[in-house]
Amino acid sequence: MNRDYFSRWLNENTTLSYNSISKYLGAIKTMSNELLSKGVMEKPLYELNDSIEAERLKDKYFSVRQFREKDERGHRMYSRAFIYYIQFLKK
């Protein structure tokens, strides 16, 4: 899966604005980079095909206090982006 397919899926399956879609795409990239830098995964989130693995990574990501706090400051943008990405992978 890649960013373009996810972007298209968000556009076709949600009522999100273009601006919100752009922010969610960026959030997935940011979380992917953070998970990669911590050695939690070996390939970017956009290369995942398994919603169960994505759910595991979501739990792992939000088990880190600094990431939970960042999500709260960002009005849950990161957690919503992950939820949309998991829904996308399930389709």
Side-chain angles (χ1 to χ4, degrees):
M1 299 295 155
N2 68 33
R3 186 177 193 270
D4 293 335
Y5 290 132
F6 182 47
S7 176
R8 187 177 321 138
W9 182 87
L10 286 170
N11 190 47
E12 294 172 357
N13 294 282
T14 70
T15 58
L16 295 170
S17 69
Y18 174 80
N19 190 40
S20 293
I21 288 172
S22 294
K23 288 179 182 180
Y24 286 150
L25 295 173
I28 293 294
K29 183 177 179 179
T30 296
M31 291 184 289
S32 182
N33 289 340
E34 290 166 340
L35 288 166
L36 286 165
S37 72
K38 293 214 175 273
V40 173
M41 58 185 201
E42 296 176 5
K43 61 183 178 180
L45 285 172
Y46 282 124
E47 293 182 22
L48 265 181
N49 294 318
D50 183 358
S51 64
I52 294 170
E53 178 66 9
E55 188 74 47
R56 186 189 70 75
L57 290 169
K58 176 182 165 276
D59 293 342
K60 189 87 160 171
Y61 183 84
F62 290 108
S63 72
V64 177
R65 183 175 161 224
Q66 78 183 69
F67 297 149
R68 281 193 317 273
E69 289 173 353
K70 180 170 73 169
D71 189 44
E72 290 172 18
R73 286 189 311 273
H75 304 284
R76 308 262 186 255
M77 179 187 69
Y78 294 95
S79 55
R80 279 306 299 158
F82 231 129
I83 289 167
Y84 277 126
Y85 194 65
I86 291 166
Q87 289 174 348
F88 162 70
L89 291 175
K90 287 180 178 179
K91 299 292 178 186

